[in-house]
Amino acid sequence: MGVQKDRVRFNVGGRIFETTATTLAIAGRDSLFGAMFDENWDLQPNVTSTEHFIDRNPDCFAVLLDLLRTGELYIRSNIPEKLLYREALFYGLLDHVRAARWGPFDGNRLHLARSIMGRAPGDGTAIRAGPDGGCCVAHGSMVHVYDWMLEEHPPISLDYQRVNDAIWIDSESVVISACERLGRDDGGMGLFSASTGELRYKFHVTHDNQVKSYTGGALSFNSDYKLFSSCKGRSNEYGIGVWDQVTGKQIDFFYEPPGWSLGDADKLQWLHGTNCLLVATLFPRKDNCYISLLDFRDKNMVWSWSDVGAPTTDERRVRDAIAMEETNSICVVNEYEDLGFMDLRSSAGIVRWSSRSRLMKGNMPDEPCYPKLALHEGQLFSSMNDSISVFCGPDWVLTSRLRNSHGGSICDFSIGGDRLFALHSEENVFDIWETRPPPIV
């Protein structure tokens, strides 16, 4: 990077600011300032004025310029945060503002930043983190969408049918799956604008060259723009459907084999290293648990496990599952937050249980929620009652526990955009956990 020795002068809304190209270079090439300089960060030849006028808010410009100088964000009390974020968007500095508000995600350094009371009636059923720090929350037939500033956008609904899952395709698009309505083409899946709530298109299932109504279930997608969903229809449409998420067209369908369960799946997870899809159908949706890896390249189930025929006790009932590609294993959890591990390189399907929370027995809340699992940047997360445990290291040692006493048990949580969102079951409230930014030395 070239060093610009001459100062750069701005007139913003009538106020004069002076800085250097070295400071402006921190904004990056995609910012408004990047267009003013060449590849060495010298002023472009066509930029001849000694003073550059920008007709924007000078108070916000002062805050943003100070952010580039120091790496710290200090917002004076007379500046509404929403106004500052709007100005940051204009200058192309929104990512810098977000990075200054909260640091890179670390489960052991999270703090409770905020709790939001939802306005929807009834209990929430699912929460999904967006890639830019926003989230969406499913309540019955509605999905409430929040941007990274936690401002609520117009809600989403697919024919006012009960929502089963939601997933962010990108920061502007949300796919939801919903139950079908008998006799009508309602339910299934739809892709919506996260900002306006507009339905862009629906994903159809075709069987025997006829479009069929179906119930969409668990969702996942991969980097090749393929969208996956568990499906239940009234004919033979039980299995995992695959669609092109750009066009909405169905491109494949993995039919449920006899004696197995795919259409009722609780969780789908795409494994980038093996190009396979984890499909997990769990108790109590079914009397037994079924976990499998599907390879769509040759329509093959390459690995599977089930507790059919095994002793059925609560201590061994699998409530959630997640694949961990780095260790070639699958982690499962029971309702007491005991973790179990299965080796994907073995066809034996033996679960190695690790007891961690026996003292939770006999201390269950009146309305407990089943544990959920998440894996992020080498850290394993497991919800239990009103807390979330963090496990680290090769032996998955318990290192932290997140708890907020308000709202009751945690029914779901999700990680994305360097935030953790936890949805409580009793008070229609969700928590936002963030990592504090590192100190400026």
Side-chain angles (χ1 to χ4, degrees):
M1 179 187 300
V3 178
Q4 170 60 266
K5 297 180 179 179
D6 296 333
R7 291 176 294 185
V8 183
R9 186 181 177 96
F10 291 98
N11 181 335
V12 182
R15 281 174 55 185
I16 303 301
F17 298 86
E18 287 191 2
T19 186
T20 66
T22 301
T23 296
L24 297 178
I26 297 173
R29 281 295 174 192
D30 294 332
S31 69
L32 178 144
F33 307 114
M36 299 172 55
F37 300 89
D38 62 20
E39 65 275 5
N40 296 316
W41 285 92
D42 292 320
L43 284 172
Q44 296 279 12
N46 60 338
V47 181
T48 57
S49 174
T50 59
E51 182 177 284
H52 311 285
F53 179 74
I54 303 177
D55 190 17
R56 303 294 294 194
N57 186 292
D59 293 333
C60 292
F61 186 86
V63 173
L64 297 172
L65 183 58
D66 193 54
L67 171 63
L68 295 178
R69 288 167 172 161
T70 67
E72 295 182 299
L73 181 66
Y74 173 71
I75 307 175
R76 295 190 295 273
S77 59
N78 66 322
I79 301 178
E81 285 196 25
K82 194 170 184 179
L83 173 63
L84 180 71
Y85 299 151
R86 186 189 68 188
E87 293 297 285
L89 180 63
F90 171 80
Y91 292 109
L93 298 176
L94 209 50
D95 287 341
H96 289 75
V97 171
R98 279 199 289 257
R101 284 296 304 271
W102 64 87
F105 188 87
D106 182 352
N108 292 315
R109 298 180 57 240
L110 293 174
H111 74 104
L112 181 61
R114 188 175 174 185
S115 295
I116 292 183
M117 183 73 71
R119 294 183 296 169
D123 297 335
T125 55
I127 191 165
R128 298 291 180 263
D132 64 349
C135 72
C136 63
V137 186
H139 291 84
S141 62
M142 305 297 292
V143 176
H144 296 262
V145 181
Y146 299 82
D147 60 27
W148 77 274
M149 296 178 289
L150 302 177
E151 295 282 338
E152 186 172 358
H153 289 209
I156 292 171
S157 176
L158 188 59
D159 307 314
Y160 296 100
Q161 297 304 295
R162 178 174 177 80
V163 175
N164 293 319
D165 200 0
I167 192 170
W168 292 78
I169 297 300
D170 52 46
S171 60
E172 293 296 327
S173 305
V174 175
V175 173
I176 69 173
S177 60
C179 297
E180 70 168 326
R181 180 183 296 175
L182 295 179
R184 297 175 57 177
D185 187 27
D186 291 346
M189 293 194 306
L191 185 142
F192 294 81
S193 165
S195 56
T196 67
E198 175 189 5
L199 175 64
R200 292 175 177 165
Y201 47 77
K202 295 184 71 173
F203 299 89
H204 296 286
V205 166
T206 301
H207 179 69
D208 290 338
N209 296 320
Q210 292 184 342
V211 175
K212 302 287 187 177
S213 63
Y214 68 100
T215 290
L219 298 169
S220 185
F221 70 96
N222 67 11
S223 57
D224 293 331
Y225 303 102
K226 293 179 181 177
L227 177 68
F228 304 87
S229 175
S230 57
C231 301
K232 293 192 301 181
R234 284 171 288 156
S235 298
N236 191 33
E237 308 85 40
Y238 270 72
I240 306 297
V242 188
W243 292 263
D244 185 322
Q245 67 189 47
V246 177
T247 65
K249 303 297 184 183
Q250 181 184 342
I251 56 178
D252 207 346
F253 200 94
F254 197 116
Y255 288 95
E256 181 177 289
W260 201 254
S261 179
L262 298 177
D264 282 304
D266 297 85
K267 173 178 279 188
L268 303 184
Q269 178 191 353
W270 179 257
L271 309 185
H272 300 278
T274 58
N275 287 315
C276 291
L277 184 73
L278 169 76
V279 183
T281 306
L282 307 165
F283 181 85
R285 188 181 297 273
K286 297 288 252 184
D287 291 335
N288 293 102
C289 303
Y290 303 84
I291 302 175
S292 51
L293 292 184
L294 307 184
D295 189 337
F296 282 83
R297 291 168 294 188
D298 55 5
K299 290 289 188 67
N300 187 27
M301 186 181 296
V302 296
W303 186 93
S304 62
W305 172 88
S306 175
D307 63 1
V308 174
T312 55
T313 62
D314 287 341
E315 294 182 4
R316 294 297 178 259
R317 289 281 195 189
V318 172
R319 303 296 190 177
D320 200 8
I322 192 166
M324 301 187 292
E325 288 195 88
E326 290 187 2
T327 57
N328 290 305
S329 62
I330 288 179
C331 176
V332 296
V333 64
N334 66 8
E335 70 176 64
Y336 303 110
E337 206 188 12
D338 296 334
L339 300 180
F341 298 90
M342 291 183 282
D343 192 340
L344 287 174
R345 294 164 296 187
S346 171
S347 60
I350 298 174
V351 183
R352 296 180 291 104
W353 288 99
S354 175
S355 299
R356 299 179 184 272
S357 51
R358 293 298 184 190
L359 48 142
M360 296 301 297
K361 288 186 178 181
N363 192 32
M364 303 290 283
D366 294 335
E367 294 185 8
C369 292
Y370 297 131
K372 298 292 181 68
L373 294 171
L375 187 68
H376 190 82
E377 300 294 338
Q379 295 178 323
L380 181 64
F381 299 79
S382 174
S383 62
M384 179 70 180
N385 297 337
D386 64 346
S387 67
I388 296 176
S389 299
V390 186
F391 302 93
C392 299
D395 297 323
W396 300 113
V397 176
L398 176 63
T399 56
S400 298
R401 182 161 282 164
L402 314 175
R403 175 179 283 114
N404 178 23
S405 59
H406 180 65
S409 297
I410 294 173
C411 63
D412 197 17
F413 72 97
S414 181
I415 301 170
D418 285 323
R419 280 172 163 170
L420 184 149
F421 297 89
L423 177 64
H424 294 269
S425 64
E426 298 175 13
E427 300 293 340
N428 193 13
V429 64
F430 65 91
D431 302 326
I432 302 96
W433 295 80
E434 300 171 356
T435 302
R436 289 186 174 91
I440 305 297
V441 179

